[in-house]
Amino acid sequence: QVRLVESGGSSVQPGGSLRLSCVASEYIQTQYCVTWFRQAAGKEREGIAGIGTDGGTKFKDSVKGRFTISRDNAGHIVYLQMDDVQVSDTAMYYCAARGPWFGGCWATLDSDLFDHWGQGTQVTVSS
């Protein structure tokens, strides 16, 4: 199975920016869809940004206009660019992948559809 490793989480002030990385153990661009999830302390896990094999994206309403998801040209890394972060963005962030889908797959925020998960990276937003 594909292995995923997240990195880039840190402490940041409100209004600041972070760029999280999800590095996959194999080429994922054409056979896997990847979504970023987060889980705040004491709360349920929620999907925030996903990307499909066609490059299409889907975002949770609360992060639209602030977060973007993208892939590297080599097809091994998925990024989450977090701009104008807020205290409410504080959470453990996970990337997850579903596949392989030889016919491709669409971006989704439904955690039940994902087979492969990273270990998480902590993002803390405070002043």
Side-chain angles (χ1 to χ4, degrees), residues 34-38 46-51 57-60 63 67-70 78-80 94-96 107-109 114:
V34 177
T35 294
W36 284 94
F37 297 85
R38 68 186 182 189
E46 60 179 359
I48 55 172
I51 188 167
T57 58
K58 184 176 180 64
F59 296 93
K60 181 178 173 65
V63 307
F67 292 6
T68 57
I69 187 170
S70 62
V78 175
Y79 300 103
L80 181 68
Y94 302 88
C95 67
T108 180
L109 304 183
F114 289 81

Side-chain angles (χ1 to χ4, degrees), residues 21-100:
S21 299
C22 175
V23 179
S25 61
E26 61 186 81
Y27 182 75
I28 60 173
Q29 183 174 355
T30 61
Q31 298 184 25
Y32 292 86
C33 291
V34 177
T35 294
W36 284 94
F37 297 85
R38 68 186 182 189
Q39 185 169 22
K43 297 185 177 181
E44 297 294 321
R45 181 176 58 197
E46 60 179 359
I48 55 172
I51 188 167
T53 54
D54 63 345
T57 58
K58 184 176 180 64
F59 296 93
K60 181 178 173 65
D61 288 343
S62 61
V63 307
K64 288 180 178 178
R66 299 189 299 117
F67 292 6
T68 57
I69 187 170
S70 62
R71 302 178 299 204
D72 72 317
N73 292 333
H76 283 82
I77 307 174
V78 175
Y79 300 103
L80 181 68
Q81 178 67 43
M82 306 168 60
D83 295 325
D84 190 26
V85 296
Q86 303 169 11
V87 174
S88 58
D89 294 321
T90 296
M92 183 72 75
Y93 283 70
Y94 302 88
C95 67
R98 60 190 182 105

